[in-house]
Amino acid sequence: MKRTVIPAILVALLSLTSCMRGDLYDNDDDKTSLLQISDLFSPSVNITSPVTDATNVSPIPVQINFSSPVTGFDISDLVVGNGNAANFVSISGSNYTADIIPSANGAVTLDIPAGAALTDPDAKPTKAAQQFSITYDTIVTIASVSIQSNNANMSWAKLGDTITVTLTQSEQLQAPTVTINGNAATVIPPGMFGTAWRATYVVTGADPEGPVTFTISGLLDLVGNAAADISATTDATAVTCDMSAPVIVTHIGRFPDDASVAIQGDDILLTITANEDIQPPVIEISGNAATRAGSGMNYTGDYIMGPADPEGTLAFSVTGIRDLAGNPASDINATAASDSSSVTYDRTLPSVDNITSSTPDGPYGSGATIDVTINFNEPVTITGGTASLTLDTGVVVAIPDITSTNTTSVSFVVGGGEYTTDLNVAAIDLNGATLVDAAGNSGTLSLPSSNLRNNKNISIDTTLPVINSIAASVPDGTYGTGAVVTMLVTFNKPVTLSAGGSVELALDSGGTAYISPFGPSVTATATYTVASGNNSGDCTVTNGGITLVSGTFEDGVGNTLDFTVPASNLAVNSDIVIDTIPPTIINITGTDASHGSGSTVTFTVNFSKNVSLSGGTIWLQLDSGGSAFVSPFANSSSATALYLVGPGENSADLTVNAGGISLTAGTLRDAPGNDTDLTEPAGNNLADNNTIVIDTTAPAAPWVTGYQSNNAVNTSYATTGDVITLSFSTENTGTTPTVTIAGAAVIPGGGPMNWTATHAVVAPDPDGPAGYSIAITDLAGNGNSAAGGGVTIDKTAPSAPSVASFLSDNGNTAYARNGNTITLSFTTGEAVPMPTVTIGSYAATVTDV
């Protein structure tokens, strides 16, 4: 087999080649073969220039550098885009220079394709060069130029407005210089506003009025190309400087005759003339928007007068008077015509303003002449027909014709049967006549709010005064002795009770009410002071009970009062009860029981009617020697008496002593104010109704007849299960004693005088003396007691005896022979009954030492 031997260095190159994916100029080849070995030795080429950015220099110098010497490379191998190559110079076998001459503005490129030269001496083709590119720029290009102001109308500028010139570039520029109106402007470079340069200038008083001029100079792009100064916009925008206030002339008049007066429905025309074009103003006439017309320097406002428009000199306003630049007129809000013209608006129809009289205030009777004066709201003329006014008395009075006057008077004579407390006009009518004002407005004879009685106090009266009603002036209720009841007496007209006069009103209670001098008035007060013995379930004035005692009782024109008692009497209008009967105590009751010292006994005192105890205390003296008391209470027919039983007080049947009820301070009265009769009720006293025993004597102390246990060994001791028995005697108290034995409560048996109580000893009972206690009370709560002991509880077994010695009386005490005495000495842990001792099998004699 034929084998190929590859030198080690070549293998390394192959390995290296297999890892490469492209040369320095990104020529890629994914193949791994021996062909790539030769590529590694193909020289690369690099194109550079001292000119690195856009330029306006021509020609553009370039350097061409191969990585190793080459042959066959000349100017024809240079591929130029947008230009031509010239001045090709070989510096060495690997370094060359040339000039590139641009053909036009824009990108100029230079490429050297692969294989343009061969390596020397291996004749390997060279790689392609990375393209050389540079921008050739010899002119400045501008996209647009505009101008505007920050005025609401951007084509105008006034004092203080900011004018802005905006230059939008097509390429990046160096900062230009801008003047506006010949003054340096503030130049703001492009930024957040994109490719636009802005120049701003604030208008001052030194700026001339008229078109605003500007100049943009020093226009250079980044390569230094210059552009001519710019002083005109590309979009026809322009700004005019105007700092003069407009002058206007206003005129107002009625259309079409330009009259200075107007009535409802007339057309009012307001004209506005300016010395220059102005912005459309806001026009109001009589506070309402007018219809605006016109433009430029001339505007008008039209308004039709309506019923809600106020009368008088017509108000108008022209607001927002500004020229196109926004300069306000000296009277920017005109409210008066500049030529002093005006319009007076009158929409009020003629009417009656008020009705009065030249006749003095006062009452008038038959035959009196009374004047009535009619005042109009403006001069009027009444012609034709039979105008008249009707009075509230029914009298009709004719109104004569009048001419251009605002007042007229008529009069009439009072006839019989006429009556009014305050003369007034009830109706007023033209009856076919015409009523017009000076302007020709037609009116009516409607009654005014300010009628005759509003301005005068004239009464006409030919009728007698009568009493209309009698009613209490005090609240409905019950009144007793000494109470003052006032009554309101109402008349059909004002009357007067002369000085020194007196009127009496007899009442069904037996009392009398009095009316004192008064008047003139339609009401009078009658005063009634309740006397003892007066009583009525519904107090009223008796028929025929009104009497004039003295003086005169007349109306204003001398008519004497009719003293007939009215149907609307006191009892009809009020509920007044007269009660002078004093309340009494009707009974005293309690609860059957026995009470001892310290007990509180309550019982009830009942009255014949509701009463109130105020500011004091009722004391009831009792036959026990004690006293009960009643504290203040209100409006009740019963009260609670409290009795605290004191030592030594006793009564077999408690009752109130005769004459024993008294009141200390304060009052005890019923609602009308009658004081209560405190006499104790006969047959209805406490003892009559209840059995209440007062017993303050304590019973004798119990006496014990036995106290022992049933212990089989010693009845003075007891152990668990033993029963301790207590025997004792008492007086017959009617109650069961309370007993404790060894601290435990037990219920005794027997009675009523001899008792037995037992207690079985249980494990929880403590060892030691077991005492007893006995407490007794009688039915009144009086008590006594006894206590003692005599039995000891011992539930603990004694400890084993302790032997002190066990000896005989033999010479050798440890031995005993017949006849010797053996003695056992021992000690018990506690006192015990005589123990049993055996020595040997014989009972020994035990001695307590």
Side-chain angles (χ1 to χ4, degrees):
M1 177 181 289
K2 184 179 178 180
R3 298 181 178 181
T4 301
V5 179
I6 301 175
I9 183 65
L10 181 57
V11 173
L13 291 173
L14 283 172
S15 176
L16 176 63
T17 302
S18 68
C19 295
M20 299 179 64
R21 301 287 292 173
D23 60 14
L24 295 176
Y25 302 104
D26 297 324
N27 296 309
D28 297 333
D29 194 341
D30 290 337
K31 297 178 181 179
T32 302
S33 68
L34 292 177
L35 292 176
Q36 286 183 307
I37 298 172
S38 64
D39 288 344
L40 290 173
F41 297 99
S42 296
S44 60
V45 59
N46 186 32
I47 306 171
T48 61
S49 173
V51 179
T52 58
D53 297 323
T55 183
N56 58 3
V57 175
S58 180
I60 301 169
V62 295
Q63 293 87 38
I64 303 167
N65 301 308
F66 291 90
S67 60
S68 60
V70 297
T71 61
F73 183 65
D74 58 28
I75 194 171
S76 64
D77 294 311
L78 303 181
V79 180
V80 179
N82 189 28
N84 299 294
N87 303 321
F88 181 82
V89 177
S90 175
I91 305 302
S92 66
S94 57
N95 299 310
Y96 300 84
T97 63
D99 289 333
I100 303 302
I101 301 173
S103 298
N105 285 322
V108 176
T109 61
L110 172 59
D111 290 288
I112 300 175
L118 300 175
T119 59
D120 185 21
D122 298 327
K124 300 293 190 295
T126 58
K127 291 182 178 181
Q130 184 177 9
Q131 185 182 67
F132 170 79
S133 179
I134 194 169
T135 299
Y136 182 61
D137 183 8
T138 61
I139 61 173
V140 177
T141 56
I142 303 299
S144 65
V145 177
S146 64
I147 188 171
Q148 67 180 35
S149 81
N150 66 342
N151 192 287
N153 187 342
M154 294 185 295
S155 297
W156 292 84
K158 63 179 183 353
L159 184 66
D161 285 347
T162 298
I163 299 172
T164 301
V165 174
T166 302
L167 180 148
T168 303
Q169 60 187 17
S170 298
E171 60 176 316
Q172 289 186 310
L173 302 175
Q174 300 180 45
T177 299
V178 181
T179 62
I180 297 176
N181 267 354
N183 301 291
T186 300
V187 177
I188 303 171
M192 63 182 293
F193 297 98
T195 59
W197 287 82
R198 294 184 306 131
T200 61
Y201 172 71
V202 178
V203 177
T204 70
D207 287 299
E209 293 190 308
V212 174
T213 61
F214 70 89
T215 300
I216 304 174
S217 59
L219 286 166
L220 298 172
D221 62 13
L222 297 185
V223 298
N225 297 309
D229 292 351
I230 299 174
S231 58
T233 61
T234 60
D235 57 0
T237 55
V239 174
T240 300
C241 214
D242 181 1
M243 291 177 283
S244 298
V247 177
I248 64 168
V249 175
T250 54
H251 175 82
I252 190 169
R254 185 177 68 186
F255 183 81
D257 58 0
D258 198 32
S260 60
V261 293
I263 61 173
Q264 184 176 335
D266 281 349
D267 183 3
I268 305 302
L269 180 67
L270 177 68
T271 60
I272 304 163
T273 304
N275 64 337
E276 60 176 309
D277 288 350
I278 59 174
Q279 301 177 35
V282 175
I283 305 173
E284 288 187 353
I285 297 176
S286 191
N288 300 289
T291 302
R292 186 185 64 208
S295 62
M297 295 187 293
N298 298 291
Y299 288 89
T300 61
D302 275 277
Y303 179 71
I304 304 300
M305 300 307 298
D309 293 312
E311 293 184 301
T313 302
L314 191 59
F316 72 87
S317 65
V318 183
T319 59
I321 306 173
R322 300 176 182 271
D323 60 17
L324 298 184
N327 294 300
S330 58
D331 188 7
I332 185 173
N333 299 322
T335 57
S338 59
D339 63 356
S340 300
S341 57
S342 66
V343 173
T344 299
Y345 181 49
D346 180 6
R347 61 172 173 77
T348 301
L349 300 179
S351 62
V352 178
D353 197 35
N354 65 73
I355 302 175
T356 185
S357 174
S358 61
T359 301
D361 291 346
Y364 294 88
S366 297
T369 299
I370 298 175
D371 163 81
V372 178
T373 300
I374 305 171
N375 294 309
F376 299 92
N377 62 335
E378 58 183 318
V380 298
T381 297
I382 298 177
T383 58
T386 56
S388 65
L389 58 83
T390 303
L391 299 171
D392 61 352
T393 60
V395 173
V396 177
V397 183
I399 301 173
D401 289 350
I402 56 175
T403 303
S404 298
T405 181
N406 57 8
T407 185
T408 186
S409 293
V410 296
S411 62
F412 71 98
V413 177
V414 176
E418 297 175 18
Y419 174 81
T420 178
T421 59
D422 193 357
L423 185 63
N424 203 32
V425 176
I428 187 168
D429 197 349
L430 283 172
N431 293 322
T434 59
L435 171 67
V436 295
D437 62 11
N441 293 312
S442 296
T444 62
L445 285 178
S446 300
L447 285 175
S449 58
S450 180
N451 205 335
L452 179 58
R453 71 171 46 163
N454 301 110
N455 301 300
K456 301 293 291 184
N457 186 13
I458 298 172
S459 63
I460 297 175
D461 186 7
T462 60
T463 60
L464 295 179
V466 297
I467 301 172
N468 284 341
S469 66
I470 303 173
S473 301
V474 296
D476 289 349
T478 303
Y479 295 86
T481 303
V484 176
V485 178
T486 56
M487 307 168 197
L488 183 69
V489 182
T490 304
F491 307 95
N492 66 329
K493 62 172 72 175
V495 290
T496 300
L497 176 59
S498 64
S502 176
V503 174
E504 294 181 353
L505 293 83
L507 305 173
D508 65 349
S509 66
T512 304
Y514 298 92
I515 299 176
S516 298
F518 73 95
S521 176
V522 294
T523 61
T525 298
T527 303
Y528 164 44
T529 301
V530 179
S532 177
N534 290 170
N535 289 284
S536 173
D538 191 2
C539 189
T540 196
V541 178
T542 60
N543 287 331
I546 304 176
T547 305
L548 177 64
V549 177
S550 61
T552 59
F553 210 161
E554 302 173 342
D555 63 14
V557 294
N559 298 307
T560 300
L561 177 69
D562 180 349
F563 289 97
T564 301
V565 175
S568 182
N569 202 346
L570 177 61
V572 174
N573 299 304
S574 306
D575 187 8
I576 303 297
V577 176
I578 304 301
D579 180 4
T580 63
I581 301 172
T584 61
I585 299 174
I586 57 175
N587 64 57
I588 305 173
T589 62
T591 301
D592 294 347
S594 294
H595 300 275
S597 180
S599 299
T600 299
V601 183
T602 62
F603 47 88
T604 303
V605 181
N606 295 299
F607 303 92
S608 60
K609 62 174 76 173
N610 284 357
V611 293
S612 296
L613 174 59
S614 176
T617 304
I618 303 173
W619 288 97
L620 297 90
Q621 300 299 322
L622 306 172
D623 65 347
S624 65
S627 298
F629 66 92
V630 177
S631 297
F633 64 92
N635 196 33
S636 176
S637 62
S638 64
T640 298
L642 298 177
Y643 166 39
L644 180 62
V645 179
E649 297 176 4
N650 293 281
S651 173
D653 190 1
L654 187 66
T655 195
V656 178
N657 292 334
I661 305 176
S662 62
L663 174 64
T664 59
T667 59
L668 179 61
R669 295 172 176 165
D670 61 11
N674 299 303
D675 290 323
T676 304
D677 182 351
L678 295 178
T679 302
E680 67 278 358
N684 263 313
N685 204 334
L686 184 59
D688 298 316
N689 297 305
N690 302 97
T691 300
I692 300 173
V693 177
I694 304 300
D695 180 5
T696 62
T697 303
W703 57 95
V704 176
T705 58
Y707 185 55
Q708 61 186 15
S709 77
N710 65 347
N711 189 278
V713 177
N714 190 339
T715 58
S716 295
Y717 286 85
T719 187
T720 303
D722 290 344
V723 176
I724 300 172
T725 300
L726 172 66
S727 300
F728 63 94
S729 298
T730 66
E731 292 182 3
N732 186 1
T733 63
T735 61
T736 300
T738 300
V739 179
T740 63
I741 298 176
V746 295
I747 299 175
M753 299 177 63
N754 297 311
W755 305 86
T756 300
T758 61
H759 171 65
V761 178
V762 294
D765 288 337
D767 286 353
Y772 64 83
S773 67
I774 306 168
I776 61 173
T777 58
D778 60 16
L779 295 176
N782 303 301
N784 213 329
S785 63
V791 175
T792 299
I793 295 176
D794 183 2
K795 304 185 303 298
T796 304
S799 61
S802 175
V803 177
S805 64
F806 188 39
L807 304 171
S808 76
D809 57 357
N810 191 287
N812 185 346
T813 58
Y815 291 87
R817 60 181 175 80
N818 189 27
N820 285 150
T821 299
I822 300 172
T823 301
L824 173 65
S825 298
F826 63 92
T827 304
T828 60
E830 59 180 300
V832 297
M834 187 65 69
T836 299
V837 180
T838 61
I839 298 177
S841 58
Y842 302 99
T845 300
V846 181
T847 302
D848 185 3
V849 295

